[in-house]
Amino acid sequence: MKSFTNPPQLVRLVMQAVCVLLGAPPTWVEALRILADIRFLERLRSFDRDHVDPSLIERVQLYVNHPDFSMENMKRASLASTTLCQWVLAIVRYFEVIKHVAPTQKKLEQTEYNFRVIDEVVQNERRKLIDLELQINELRAQHAQNLQEEDALQRSHDSRVKWKSTVSEFADVLSKWRDIVRDNALHPRGSLGHLWEWEVVR
């Protein structure tokens, strides 16, 4: 193609489309300059098809819609023209697909974002629920411990009450014995009678 000084119509047509997509003037002089660039093939491979200016697609459609712009016709011109025609058509078709898919893709991305937000809220609430359950379990354990301590205190209290009652009874008995002993010392005969009576009463 670079050897053409006056290229065939099909070659000129496809190179004009390539120039437009690459942002260059659609002239044969510019086409030769692009073809001479050692990075030409790399420019085609790395072409950012996801961010094509719609105005470029609109301009390149003028060439793509030409009756002669087809793979079958380009095969009659040259293999290089066929390959470049395929590249141009692929870019245009990809743009058309993206144009129709973009709204759906945007909705999908928004839905995924909403899902992530909701999922994060759910996870936070779940963590709060787990923390609350742990606190409830701690309170239950503390309550059970308090009941055990209260029961132990009650048993201790009952034991002290019983012990005090026993001590009180013993003190009464001891006091009576002291009275008897004292009476016996003062009235030996009478005290024995009291002792007998006290023993009988017991």
Side-chain angles (χ1 to χ4, degrees):
M1 293 177 65
K2 291 185 289 184
S3 62
F4 291 136
T5 56
N6 187 22
Q9 174 63 22
L10 293 178
V11 174
R12 183 185 297 273
L13 189 64
V14 72
M15 282 308 302
Q16 286 176 321
V18 171
C19 288
V20 169
L21 287 177
L22 295 180
T27 65
W28 183 245
V29 173
E30 188 64 27
L32 290 176
R33 189 187 67 80
I34 290 175
L35 290 171
D37 187 355
I38 60 174
R39 297 181 298 108
F40 174 59
L41 294 180
E42 180 60 28
R43 290 180 67 184
L44 298 183
R45 282 192 291 264
S46 61
F47 186 80
D48 189 2
R49 60 182 183 176
D50 292 316
H51 301 90
V52 181
D53 189 335
S55 64
L56 293 181
I57 298 297
E58 185 177 353
R59 289 174 56 196
V60 85
Q61 286 286 8
L62 298 175
Y63 303 98
V64 172
N65 293 336
H66 192 284
D68 294 333
F69 198 96
S70 66
M71 296 286 293
E72 290 74 14
N73 290 332
M74 291 299 169
K75 288 178 182 178
R76 294 198 298 269
S78 68
L79 178 61
S81 298
T82 305
T83 303
L84 292 175
C85 176
Q86 184 179 14
W87 180 80
V88 171
L89 291 176
I91 297 299
V92 172
R93 288 168 183 167
Y94 182 83
F95 177 84
E96 294 296 331
V97 170
I98 290 298
K99 184 173 66 175
H100 291 90
V101 171
T104 304
Q105 180 68 23
K106 188 174 182 180
K107 290 181 180 179
L108 177 60
E109 292 174 354
Q110 183 63 41
T111 301
E112 291 177 346
Y113 172 77
N114 293 339
F115 174 79
R116 289 194 298 271
V117 171
I118 294 174
D119 183 64
E120 184 176 353
V121 172
V122 170
Q123 294 300 327
N124 288 336
E125 293 301 321
R126 184 173 297 173
R127 284 191 289 269
K128 291 180 181 179
L129 180 60
I130 293 175
D131 292 340
L132 182 59
E133 290 177 348
L134 291 175
Q135 293 177 9
I136 292 175
N137 290 336
E138 290 178 359
L139 291 174
R140 285 175 177 171
Q142 185 63 44
H143 178 65
Q145 183 178 354
N146 291 340
L147 290 178
Q148 292 178 354
E149 292 177 354
E150 183 179 349
D151 184 63
L153 289 174
Q154 184 63 43
R155 290 197 302 270
S156 177
H157 174 72
D158 294 343
S159 298
R160 286 197 299 271
V161 170
K162 185 176 181 180
W163 180 80
K164 287 181 179 179
S165 177
T166 302
V167 170
S168 178
E169 292 177 359
F170 178 76
D172 291 342
V173 172
L174 183 60
S175 177
K176 290 180 180 181
W177 273 100
R178 285 176 178 172
D179 292 342
I180 292 172
V181 170
R182 186 172 55 253
D183 290 344
N184 186 38
L186 296 175
H187 309 288
R189 295 180 62 185
S191 60
L192 291 175
H194 289 301
L195 178 60
W196 170 255
E197 292 175 359
W198 185 74
E199 289 291 341
V200 170
V201 171
R202 289 186 62 196

